[in-house]
Protein backbone atom coordinates (compact mmCIF):
# COMPACT_ATOMS: atom_id res chain seq x y z
CA UNK A 1 0.00 0.00 0.00
CA UNK A 2 1.33 3.45 -1.00
CA UNK A 3 1.88 6.10 1.70
CA UNK A 4 -0.85 8.79 1.97
CA UNK A 5 1.61 11.54 1.02
CA UNK A 6 2.30 9.78 -2.31
CA UNK A 7 -1.42 9.46 -3.05
CA UNK A 8 -1.92 13.16 -2.23
CA UNK A 9 0.95 14.11 -4.54
CA UNK A 10 -0.58 12.11 -7.38
CA UNK A 11 -4.00 13.73 -6.83
CA UNK A 12 -2.50 17.24 -6.87
CA UNK A 13 -0.65 16.41 -10.10
CA UNK A 14 -3.82 15.08 -11.75
CA UNK A 15 -5.80 18.18 -10.70
CA UNK A 16 -3.03 20.39 -12.04
CA UNK A 17 -3.11 18.65 -15.41
CA UNK A 18 -6.90 18.92 -15.56
CA UNK A 19 -6.69 22.63 -14.76
CA UNK A 20 -4.05 23.20 -17.43
CA UNK A 21 -6.19 21.51 -20.09
CA UNK A 22 -9.35 23.45 -19.19
CA UNK A 23 -10.21 25.67 -22.16
CA UNK A 24 -11.75 29.12 -22.53
CA UNK A 25 -13.25 29.81 -25.98
CA UNK A 26 -12.91 33.61 -26.11
CA UNK A 27 -9.92 34.22 -28.48
CA UNK A 28 -8.96 37.30 -26.43
CA UNK A 29 -8.51 35.17 -23.31
CA UNK A 30 -6.17 32.48 -24.63
CA UNK A 31 -3.55 32.18 -21.92
CA UNK A 32 -3.92 31.25 -18.29
CA UNK A 33 -7.12 29.97 -16.65
CA UNK A 34 -7.88 29.18 -13.03
CA UNK A 35 -11.27 27.97 -11.94
CA UNK A 36 -14.03 25.42 -12.34
CA UNK A 37 -13.98 23.01 -15.27
CA UNK A 38 -16.46 20.48 -16.68
CA UNK A 39 -15.90 16.95 -17.92
CA UNK A 40 -15.41 18.17 -21.49
CA UNK A 41 -12.36 20.20 -20.46
CA UNK A 42 -14.16 23.54 -20.75
CA UNK A 43 -14.33 26.36 -18.21
CA UNK A 44 -17.62 25.97 -16.39
CA UNK A 45 -18.54 27.89 -13.25
CA UNK A 46 -16.54 30.65 -11.61
CA UNK A 47 -13.04 31.32 -12.88
CA UNK A 48 -10.36 33.78 -13.94
CA UNK A 49 -8.83 33.95 -17.41
CA UNK A 50 -5.87 35.97 -18.68
CA UNK A 51 -4.94 36.52 -22.33
CA UNK A 52 -2.70 38.83 -24.37
CA UNK A 53 -5.63 41.13 -25.17
CA UNK A 54 -7.83 41.06 -22.08
CA UNK A 55 -8.62 39.48 -18.73
CA UNK A 56 -11.88 38.18 -17.26
CA UNK A 57 -13.17 37.32 -13.81
CA UNK A 58 -16.60 35.77 -13.58
CA UNK A 59 -18.76 32.85 -14.60
CA UNK A 60 -18.42 30.48 -17.55
CA UNK A 61 -20.63 27.87 -19.17
CA UNK A 62 -19.14 25.30 -21.55
CA UNK A 63 -16.07 27.48 -22.11
CA UNK A 64 -18.01 30.67 -22.79
CA UNK A 65 -18.47 33.71 -20.56
CA UNK A 66 -21.94 33.31 -19.11
CA UNK A 67 -23.43 35.10 -16.10
CA UNK A 68 -21.98 37.96 -14.09
CA UNK A 69 -18.43 38.94 -14.89
CA UNK A 70 -15.84 41.66 -15.41
CA UNK A 71 -13.80 41.90 -18.61
CA UNK A 72 -10.89 44.34 -18.92
CA UNK A 73 -8.94 45.22 -22.09
CA UNK A 74 -5.24 45.74 -21.42
CA UNK A 75 -4.34 48.25 -24.16
CA UNK A 76 -6.98 50.89 -23.43
CA UNK A 77 -8.08 50.06 -19.89
CA UNK A 78 -11.70 49.68 -21.02
CA UNK A 79 -13.83 47.60 -18.67
CA UNK A 80 -17.24 45.95 -18.87
CA UNK A 81 -18.93 44.89 -15.65
CA UNK A 82 -22.21 43.05 -15.99
CA UNK A 83 -24.03 40.14 -17.60
CA UNK A 84 -22.71 37.81 -20.30
CA UNK A 85 -24.55 35.19 -22.32
CA UNK A 86 -22.87 32.77 -24.70
CA UNK A 87 -19.62 34.82 -24.70
CA UNK A 88 -21.45 38.08 -25.56
CA UNK A 89 -22.09 41.14 -23.42
CA UNK A 90 -25.80 40.57 -23.04
CA UNK A 91 -28.25 41.72 -20.38
CA UNK A 92 -27.56 44.62 -18.03
CA UNK A 93 -24.06 45.99 -17.76
CA UNK A 94 -21.76 48.98 -17.42
CA UNK A 95 -18.98 49.77 -19.92
CA UNK A 96 -16.32 52.35 -18.99
CA UNK A 97 -13.70 53.59 -21.48
CA UNK A 98 -10.19 53.56 -20.02
CA UNK A 99 -7.52 56.25 -19.80
CA UNK A 100 -5.84 55.13 -23.05
CA UNK A 101 -9.07 55.15 -25.07
CA UNK A 102 -10.15 58.03 -27.38
CA UNK A 103 -13.35 58.11 -25.25
CA UNK A 104 -11.54 58.11 -21.90
CA UNK A 105 -13.84 58.63 -18.93
CA UNK A 106 -17.08 58.05 -20.82
CA UNK A 107 -19.45 55.41 -19.49
CA UNK A 108 -22.57 53.57 -20.61
CA UNK A 109 -24.88 51.72 -18.27
CA UNK A 110 -27.81 49.81 -19.67
CA UNK A 111 -29.02 46.85 -21.69
CA UNK A 112 -26.82 44.92 -24.14
CA UNK A 113 -27.52 42.40 -26.88
CA UNK A 114 -24.69 40.49 -28.60
CA UNK A 115 -22.08 43.07 -27.52
CA UNK A 116 -24.18 46.05 -28.72
CA UNK A 117 -26.16 48.58 -26.69
CA UNK A 118 -29.79 47.63 -27.17
CA UNK A 119 -32.83 48.87 -25.23
CA UNK A 120 -32.70 51.35 -22.37
CA UNK A 121 -29.39 52.88 -21.36
CA UNK A 122 -27.73 55.94 -19.89
CA UNK A 123 -24.55 57.37 -21.42
CA UNK A 124 -22.35 59.68 -19.33
CA UNK A 125 -19.73 62.18 -20.56
CA UNK A 126 -16.93 63.50 -18.29
CA UNK A 127 -18.26 67.07 -18.63
CA UNK A 128 -21.47 66.10 -16.81
CA UNK A 129 -23.67 65.69 -19.87
CA UNK A 130 -25.67 62.51 -20.24
CA UNK A 131 -28.14 60.78 -22.54
CA UNK A 132 -30.91 58.69 -21.03
CA UNK A 133 -33.12 56.75 -23.44
CA UNK A 134 -33.36 54.04 -26.07
CA UNK A 135 -30.57 52.38 -28.05
CA UNK A 136 -30.76 50.24 -31.18
CA UNK A 137 -27.83 48.25 -32.65
CA UNK A 138 -25.38 50.31 -30.60
CA UNK A 139 -26.77 53.72 -31.63
CA UNK A 140 -28.69 56.15 -29.45
CA UNK A 141 -32.12 57.44 -30.45
CA UNK A 142 -32.57 60.94 -29.11
CA UNK A 143 -30.47 63.77 -27.75
CA UNK A 144 -28.41 64.32 -24.64
CA UNK A 145 -29.47 66.79 -21.96
CA UNK A 146 -26.97 69.41 -23.16
CA UNK A 147 -28.05 68.96 -26.80
CA UNK A 148 -31.67 69.53 -25.78
CA UNK A 149 -30.73 72.62 -23.77
CA UNK A 150 -28.72 74.02 -26.70
CA UNK A 151 -31.66 73.49 -29.04
CA UNK A 152 -34.04 75.22 -26.64
CA UNK A 153 -31.62 78.13 -26.25
CA UNK A 154 -31.26 78.39 -30.04
CA UNK A 155 -35.05 78.29 -30.45
CA UNK A 156 -35.47 81.13 -27.96
CA UNK A 157 -32.86 83.22 -29.77
CA UNK A 158 -34.51 82.49 -33.14
CA UNK A 159 -37.89 83.69 -31.88
CA UNK A 160 -36.31 86.94 -30.73
CA UNK A 161 -34.56 87.66 -34.04
CA UNK A 162 -36.20 90.00 -36.53
CA UNK A 163 -35.28 91.46 -39.91
CA UNK A 164 -32.86 94.38 -39.96
CA UNK A 165 -31.81 93.61 -36.39
CA UNK A 166 -28.16 94.13 -35.45
CA UNK A 167 -26.35 91.11 -34.04
CA UNK A 168 -22.79 90.66 -32.79
CA UNK A 169 -20.10 88.04 -32.43
CA UNK A 170 -16.55 88.02 -31.08
CA UNK A 171 -13.71 86.54 -33.10
CA UNK A 172 -10.25 85.75 -31.75
CA UNK A 173 -7.12 87.11 -33.42
CA UNK A 174 -3.90 85.64 -32.13
CA UNK A 175 -3.23 85.08 -28.44
CA UNK A 176 -5.36 87.12 -26.06
CA UNK A 177 -6.74 89.40 -28.79
CA UNK A 178 -10.36 89.49 -29.92
CA UNK A 179 -12.50 91.64 -32.17
CA UNK A 180 -16.22 92.49 -32.13
CA UNK A 181 -18.05 91.99 -35.42
CA UNK A 182 -21.48 93.45 -36.14
CA UNK A 183 -23.97 92.27 -38.74
CA UNK A 184 -27.53 92.93 -39.89
CA UNK A 185 -30.11 90.17 -40.25
CA UNK A 186 -31.48 90.38 -43.80
CA UNK A 187 -33.40 87.09 -43.97
CA UNK A 188 -34.69 84.45 -41.53
CA UNK A 189 -35.70 81.06 -42.94
CA UNK A 190 -36.72 77.89 -41.09
CA UNK A 191 -33.17 76.77 -40.32
CA UNK A 192 -31.04 79.42 -42.04
CA UNK A 193 -30.21 83.05 -41.37
CA UNK A 194 -28.68 85.52 -43.82
CA UNK A 195 -26.36 88.13 -42.33
CA UNK A 196 -24.95 91.27 -43.92
CA UNK A 197 -21.51 91.82 -42.36
CA UNK A 198 -19.62 95.09 -42.67
CA UNK A 199 -15.87 95.00 -41.99
CA UNK A 200 -13.12 97.39 -43.04
CA UNK A 201 -15.44 99.20 -45.43
CA UNK A 202 -16.52 95.96 -47.13
CA UNK A 203 -19.96 94.36 -47.06
CA UNK A 204 -20.21 90.58 -47.06
CA UNK A 205 -23.33 88.41 -47.17
CA UNK A 206 -23.13 85.24 -45.06
CA UNK A 207 -25.59 82.35 -44.77
CA UNK A 208 -25.46 80.40 -41.50
CA UNK A 209 -27.59 77.74 -39.81
CA UNK A 210 -29.75 78.41 -36.78
CA UNK A 211 -27.39 76.30 -34.65
CA UNK A 212 -24.36 78.30 -35.78
CA UNK A 213 -26.26 81.49 -35.03
CA UNK A 214 -27.23 80.31 -31.55
CA UNK A 215 -23.65 79.37 -30.71
CA UNK A 216 -21.80 82.37 -32.17
CA UNK A 217 -24.16 85.33 -32.54
CA UNK A 218 -26.23 87.36 -30.08
CA UNK A 219 -28.49 90.42 -30.42
CA UNK A 220 -26.56 93.59 -29.58
Amino acid sequence: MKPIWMIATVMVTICGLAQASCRVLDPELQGRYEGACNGAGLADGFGEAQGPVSSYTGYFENGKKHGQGIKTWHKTGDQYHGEFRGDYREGWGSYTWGSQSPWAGQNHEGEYLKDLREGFGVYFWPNGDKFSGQWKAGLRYGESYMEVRKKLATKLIMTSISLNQTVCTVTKEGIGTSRLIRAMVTNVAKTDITLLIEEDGKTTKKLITDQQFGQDWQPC
Side-chain angles (χ1 to χ4, degrees):
M1 184 175 179
K2 293 182 179 180
I4 293 176
W5 68 268
M6 291 183 65
I7 296 173
T9 302
V10 172
M11 290 299 294
V12 169
T13 303
I14 291 172
C15 289
L17 290 172
Q19 194 66 247
S21 63
C22 195
R23 292 189 299 124
V24 172
L25 300 182
D26 186 337
E28 296 182 349
L29 296 173
Q30 300 302 305
R32 181 178 61 83
Y33 173 74
E34 293 182 3
C37 194
N38 63 18
L42 295 171
D44 200 284
F46 184 82
E48 296 183 3
Q50 290 275 351
V53 176
S54 60
S55 61
Y56 173 79
T57 300
Y59 289 88
F60 292 87
E61 186 177 276
N62 290 322
K64 297 181 179 181
K65 302 182 302 294
H66 195 91
Q68 287 289 331
I70 302 173
K71 185 173 182 180
T72 305
W73 285 264
H74 305 317
K75 186 176 181 180
T76 60
D78 293 6
Q79 186 176 86
Y80 172 81
H81 186 168
E83 294 180 88
F84 292 84
R85 291 185 188 133
D87 246 1
Y88 291 104
R89 297 191 297 273
E90 193 160 306
W92 188 268
S94 175
Y95 191 106
T96 301
W97 282 264
S99 60
Q100 301 305 308
S101 167
W103 305 279
Q106 298 181 28
N107 169 262
H108 174 265
E109 185 172 344
E111 297 174 286
Y112 283 81
L113 179 65
K114 291 190 180 296
D115 285 342
L116 296 176
R117 291 164 288 193
E118 183 83 17
F120 179 79
V122 183
Y123 195 99
F124 299 88
W125 284 268
N127 64 2
D129 192 14
K130 71 176 181 178
F131 167 78
S132 178
Q134 293 297 314
W135 297 74
K136 182 72 175 175
L139 301 175
R140 64 183 168 103
Y141 280 71
E143 298 170 319
S144 74
Y145 290 176
M146 284 190 181
E147 288 168 339
V148 171
R149 288 197 294 270
K150 283 180 180 179
K151 269 198 169 182
L152 289 174
T154 298
K155 187 175 181 180
L156 287 172
I157 292 172
M158 289 293 290
T159 57
S160 67
I161 293 298
S162 58
L163 293 177
N164 300 322
Q165 184 176 6
T166 301
V167 292
C168 296
T169 189
V170 175
T171 182
K172 290 186 177 181
E173 296 180 340
I175 301 174
T177 305
S178 58
R179 182 162 55 94
L180 180 68
I181 298 176
R182 295 177 182 272
M184 180 181 291
V185 178
T186 59
N187 185 54
V188 180
K190 188 175 181 180
T191 58
D192 296 311
I193 298 171
T194 304
L195 299 177
L196 199 62
I197 302 172
E198 291 190 11
E199 284 187 285
D200 302 325
K202 296 181 180 179
T203 302
T204 306
K205 185 178 287 188
K206 186 174 184 179
L207 181 67
I208 61 175
T209 66
D210 56 352
Q211 290 189 6
Q212 289 174 315
F213 184 85
Q215 292 172 6
D216 301 329
W217 295 85
Q218 297 288 336
C220 59

